[in-house]
Amino acid sequence: MNESGLFLTAPVVPLNIAIPACLPESKHTLGTQPSFEDLQPFLQSDKRKKIVLQLLDVLSEAVRRRIQYPPSKTVATCPSVNKANVAILFSGGIDSMILATLADRHIPVEHPIDLLNVAFQLKKPKATKKCKTVLNAHQCQEEAKLGSTEAGDFKCFNVPDRVTGRAGLQELQDINPTRTWNFVEINVTLDELQEMRQKTISHLVYPLETVLDDSIGCAVWFASRGTGAALLNNEMKEYTSTAKVVLTGIGADEQLAGYSRHRVRYKMSGLEGLVNELGMELGRISSRNLGRDDRIIGDHGKEARFPFLDEEVVSFLSSLPVWEKADLTLPRGLGEKLLLRLAARELGLTASAVLPKRAMQFGSRIAKMENGNEKASDKCNRLQRV
C-alpha cells in the first residue's frame, strides 16, 4: 500500500494453494520407464485436454511476444547468408523442445533457428592393459573447434545433453523438415573454462558464489556465446550464432514441480509441502536465477528472454491446483511437469515428452568436472576474483 492508501495491482494471480481432502486414484497402469504413448490416455479427459490447450495458447503467445521484434543487428558481412535472429539454449529436454516447437510457429520458415548445445570435456578414461590407447589432448582440442567426431570409441564431448540434443533435433526436423535448424555444438575444454571463468564469468556471477552458480553460470555463458560448430551443407564447420534473442526454459521446473527435490518434499509433506515449496521457489527466482542469467547472456550483447515467466503464463499456472500441474505418484519422466508433457504430446513431440529432468550442470557435464567432492550449495573457491 502506498501513502495514498492505494494498492498496486499484482502482475500475476496468487498461487492456488487448495489441497483436496483426497484425490481420485489413478486408473493408469505404468512401468518405471514410461513412453510417450503413456501420455495419450491422460488426454482423453475433456477437462484435462482443455487445460493443456489453454497452456499452449498462453505459452505460444509468450514465445511470439519475445521473438516478434528481435533487436536490430549490424549489417552482415555476407548479406547473402541467411542468419538466425533467435537462438534457444537447447538440451533436447522437454522445456527447450517446447520452446523450439512454438518458436517454429512464429518465425518465418525461411529464417533459421539456432539450437545452442553446450558440452564440457569429459575426463579421459584411465589407461589399462587391455586398452592402452586413449584420445589425446590434441584430439580433444580439435573436437572443441569442429564438433564431435564419429571416429574413435571415446568422444570427448559426447555428454548426455549432446545425445538428447541430437535426438531432439531429429524430432524437430520431423515436425518441420523445411526449417533450417542449426544445431550448434559448443564444446568447452577445461583450459578454456578456467581461463574464461577468471577473465569474465566470475565477475558476472557475483555476488552469487556457490558451486551451483559457478556451474550454471559457466554453462550458460559458453552456450549463449554460441561459438562452436554446426552441420552446414552436410559438413561440420565452425559456426557462431548471430542471434540477438536467446530463449531459455527457466521457470518451468519451478512452477511445474520438475526437480527431484520436489519429489522428496512431496514424499515428506504431501501436497501441502509441495505447494509451499513451489511458492517459495517462484518467489525467489529473480534473485536466485534471473539476475545471474541476464548478466551472463547480456555479456555477449544478447537478450535473455524467459517465456515460462511471462505474466500470463505464470498467472495461468498459478491459478491451477497443483495436482493439475504434476502428479508425483507417477514414475519419473512422467509425473513431474505432467501438464507440460501433455502439451508436448499435443504438439506432436515423442520421446522428448517423457525425458526425465536433467539439470544443465549434469547434462553438460560441468558439474564435478574440477572437484568431485563438493556440494552444489558449497561456496565456490573458483569464483574468487583475483
Side-chain angles (χ1 to χ4, degrees), residues 55 59 73 78 83 86 100 105 110 133 193 218 235 249 265 274 277 288 293 306 316 331 333 341-342 359:
L55 172 61
L59 191 53
K73 295 186 291 187
C78 300
K83 298 290 187 179
V86 175
R105 288 182 172 184
E110 64 272 14
T133 303
L193 168 62
C218 290
E235 182 181 354
R265 187 64 187 272
L274 178 60
E277 183 80 9
R288 183 174 175 133
D293 291 356
F306 314 102
F316 175 72
R341 297 183 188 282
L342 296 174

Side-chain angles (χ1 to χ4, degrees), residues 73-347:
K73 295 186 291 187
T74 57
V75 179
T77 55
C78 300
S80 60
V81 178
N82 199 5
K83 298 290 187 179
N85 293 318
V86 175
I88 300 168
L89 296 187
F90 188 78
S91 67
I94 183 172
D95 304 340
S96 58
M97 285 293 291
I98 282 186
L99 292 182
T101 307
L102 293 177
D104 181 53
R105 288 182 172 184
H106 303 294
I107 296 175
V109 71
E110 64 272 14
H111 292 178
I113 296 176
D114 286 345
L115 308 174
L116 308 180
N117 183 274
V118 67
F120 291 82
Q121 179 181 329
L122 293 168
K123 294 181 180 179
K124 302 177 197 175
K126 295 181 179 179
T128 64
K129 293 181 180 180
K130 293 182 180 180
C131 182
K132 296 182 180 180
T133 303
V134 295
L135 202 58
N136 60 37
H138 175 71
Q139 287 173 298
C140 286
Q141 293 288 351
E142 290 302 308
E143 285 195 13
K145 293 178 182 178
L146 297 177
S148 303
T149 64
E150 295 300 323
D153 294 330
F154 179 77
K155 302 180 182 68
C156 282
F157 301 99
N158 199 24
V159 302
D161 277 1
R162 181 61 46 82
V163 176
T164 55
R166 288 175 180 150
L169 170 65
Q170 185 60 59
E171 283 191 45
L172 294 174
Q173 290 171 334
D174 291 341
I175 289 175
N176 188 353
T178 60
R179 165 86 60 193
T180 297
W181 302 94
N182 292 324
F183 183 72
V184 187
E185 298 188 13
I186 299 160
N187 299 329
V188 186
T189 63
L190 179 58
D191 289 343
E192 186 179 14
L193 168 62
Q194 294 174 339
E195 175 188 0
M196 298 313 300
R197 176 195 285 123
Q198 286 302 315
K199 182 179 178 181
T200 302
I201 300 172
S202 62
H203 300 273
L204 299 169
V205 172
Y206 181 82
L208 303 180
E209 57 182 7
T210 68
V211 170
L212 179 65
D213 292 310
D214 172 59
S215 296
I216 296 179
C218 290
V220 171
W221 190 88
F222 281 105
S224 57
R225 183 175 66 167
T227 297
L231 188 64
L232 305 173
N233 298 322
N234 296 317
E235 182 181 354
M236 288 298 292
K237 296 181 180 180
E238 292 184 11
Y239 182 89
T240 297
S241 173
T242 60
K244 292 296 185 181
V245 169
V246 178
L247 300 181
T248 89
I250 189 172
D253 293 300
E254 289 81 358
Q255 297 182 83
L256 293 158
Y259 292 119
S260 58
R261 61 178 177 267
H262 293 137
R263 283 189 177 274
V264 174
R265 187 64 187 272
Y266 174 73
K267 289 179 180 179
M268 292 178 59
S269 309
L271 285 178
E272 183 176 357
L274 178 60
V275 168
N276 291 336
E277 183 80 9
L278 296 178
M280 179 268 292
E281 292 193 351
L282 187 60
R284 71 181 183 185
I285 197 169
S286 59
S287 59
R288 183 174 175 133
N289 303 91
L290 296 184
R292 177 198 63 211
D293 291 356
D294 189 58
R295 292 191 300 273
I296 287 170
I297 294 175
D299 187 56
H300 303 298
K302 302 178 181 183
E303 288 191 11
R305 295 184 178 174
F306 314 102
F308 285 104
L309 293 175
D310 179 271
E311 291 178 359
E312 296 297 326
V313 174
V314 175
S315 288
F316 175 72
L317 291 176
S318 293
S319 71
L320 298 175
V322 67
W323 63 87
E324 294 288 3
K325 296 181 280 190
D327 183 351
L328 300 186
T329 65
L330 297 175
R332 186 168 178 262
L334 190 64
E336 71 278 12
K337 297 194 287 192
L338 175 60
L339 180 59
L340 197 62
R341 297 183 188 282
L342 296 174
R345 192 70 195 100
E346 190 69 21
L347 289 172

Side-chain angles (χ1 to χ4, degrees), residues 353-365:
V354 290
L355 280 178
K357 168 67 180 178
R358 186 190 295 114
M360 187 179 196
Q361 64 270 28
F362 298 117
S364 67
R365 282 300 188 257

